[in-house]
Amino acid sequence: MPFISRPGIPKNSFVMGNDTIANLITSIRNADMVEKGTVRVTATNITKNIGRILLREGFIEDVREHQEGQKSFLISTSKYWRRKKRTYMTTSKRTSKPGLRIYSNYREIPKVLGGMGIVILSTSQGILTDREARQKKIGGEILCYVW
């Protein structure tokens, strides 16, 4: 991590990385608004798992990993309705943030649009959807809502 040197900040502090989950969600949302088909974001284990969930649930068409030198990127392709220029993923919202974590047990996991959308959670068994977490009876940190 790079060290920073600013007034009021200790010299041995380091710059924290960005919120990769919010970056992924915002990039997909912005690409959908300008009707850009593909999105490229930095690949981390969490963004890979969220991408797989969005692919499995049918919100995006394709997710693949691309390597350029030492850096790894995640490239996702939006899924559109047949004749309309609307995507399957209409809205997404980051819930738990680095400054304010939100946790829920399996009984209190919210349903998005009466079950039409999904809640993505970080649990002790990995990144899961709300249905999977309720089925396994485990709670966790609510990362985001997608519908």
Side-chain angles (χ1 to χ4, degrees), residues 113-127:
L113 293 178
M116 295 296 290
I118 61 170
V119 178
I120 299 178
L121 295 107
S122 175
T123 67
S124 59
Q125 295 184 9
I127 308 289

Side-chain angles (χ1 to χ4, degrees), residues 13-110:
S13 297
F14 56 89
V15 178
M16 296 300 291
N18 293 336
D19 186 4
T20 56
I21 300 167
N23 188 22
L24 172 70
I25 292 169
T26 304
S27 297
I28 292 173
R29 188 180 331 122
N30 290 344
D32 290 345
M33 285 195 293
V34 296
E35 296 176 4
K36 183 180 176 188
T38 60
V39 176
R40 184 179 123 167
V41 293
T42 305
T44 62
N45 287 335
I46 293 176
T47 56
K48 290 177 196 174
N49 289 331
I50 291 174
R52 286 187 202 118
I53 287 174
L54 293 175
L55 178 66
R56 188 177 65 226
E57 295 291 324
F59 288 105
I60 56 178
E61 190 174 318
D62 184 34
V63 174
R64 64 185 187 279
E65 193 173 347
H66 178 70
Q67 189 106 11
E68 286 182 13
Q70 295 291 332
K71 292 196 174 195
S72 183
F73 297 98
L74 200 66
I75 299 173
S76 85
T77 308
S78 296
K79 188 174 185 179
Y80 291 95
W81 292 92
R82 286 189 180 159
R83 295 195 177 131
K84 300 178 183 176
K85 291 190 175 182
R86 285 189 6 213
T87 60
Y88 280 88
M89 190 166 130
T90 58
T91 309
S92 53
K93 181 182 175 189
R94 176 80 159 112
T95 308
S96 185
K97 300 174 184 170
L100 178 65
R101 303 288 186 188
I102 299 179
Y103 297 92
S104 176
N105 64 21
Y106 77 95
R107 290 186 196 105
E108 296 172 357
I109 297 172

Side-chain angles (χ1 to χ4, degrees), residues 1-20:
M1 289 282 181
F3 287 93
I4 54 176
S5 171
R6 292 187 198 146
I9 299 175
K11 285 190 175 189
N12 57 355
S13 297
F14 56 89
V15 178
M16 296 300 291
N18 293 336
D19 186 4
T20 56

